[in-house]
Amino acid sequence: MSLVITAGLRIVFALVGLATFSVPVAAQDASTVKIGKETKKTMGVVQSLENGDVACYLNLKDEKGKEFTELGDFDICFQKPSIIGKRVSLKYRLENVLADECQGNPECKKSKKAALVVAARIVDGRSDAKATTSRAASASH
């Protein structure tokens, strides 16, 4: 028996020349990815970055203008060139982060699993004028 996934998102089972049938498969939107039990967006325009107690907080806007926040690896807050105002693709991985009840205390040994952005790659030169304004406002704090 062989398993083939076709461009039409159908699974086709072929039993060595006996019979062939297909079953529709629920397709996941290409703009999202499933990480653990969470569905995460794979693209966005970075509005701001904040180095927090648990992770780098990425504040983004999706293609429809809806704002969303993701936890990211601390290195993302400091990567060069800056991704603020840029459209980025997001890559996630389940990682252990400091538990909420630790309230940022590095001595606390409790952790939780979280979908963490481990890579944010600039995908094109498009930017968002509001993100530039946000960056200027952040710089003045």
Side-chain angles (χ1 to χ4, degrees):
M1 177 165 46
S2 65
L3 170 67
V4 179
I5 300 178
T6 65
L9 294 175
R10 295 186 179 275
I11 298 177
V12 178
F13 294 93
L15 299 172
V16 191
L18 294 176
T20 301
F21 61 94
S22 62
V23 179
V25 174
Q28 188 170 354
D29 186 344
S31 64
T32 62
V33 66
K34 187 98 168 161
I35 305 295
K37 295 180 180 178
E38 298 180 69
T39 300
K40 297 292 191 175
K41 295 179 182 181
T42 59
M43 301 285 274
V45 176
V46 179
Q47 303 298 296
S48 65
L49 300 169
E50 182 181 337
N51 192 24
D53 293 333
V54 174
C56 173
Y57 292 87
L58 291 84
N59 300 302
L60 305 109
K61 273 190 185 176
D62 66 15
E63 65 280 353
K64 296 177 183 172
K66 183 178 178 190
E67 293 184 5
F68 65 103
T69 301
E70 297 293 353
L71 295 177
D73 186 272
F74 285 110
D75 292 342
I76 291 175
C77 274
F78 305 104
Q79 81 181 45
K80 299 291 180 202
S82 174
I83 59 174
I84 296 174
K86 303 294 184 190
R87 185 170 178 256
V88 296
S89 67
L90 303 171
K91 180 179 175 187
Y92 297 85
R93 187 169 51 225
L94 273 179
E95 296 282 345
N96 285 323
V97 297
L98 199 59
D100 295 333
E101 59 264 25
C102 291
Q103 299 180 354
N105 178 0
E107 301 296 317
C108 180
K109 302 296 182 203
K110 295 180 180 179
S111 66
K112 68 176 183 176
K113 283 274 191 201
L116 202 65
V117 174
V118 294
R121 304 276 183 249
I122 298 171
V123 292
D124 62 27
R126 290 191 329 196
S127 64
D128 182 18
K130 291 180 184 174
T132 305
T133 304
S134 177
R135 184 177 357 152
S138 295
S140 66
H141 291 285

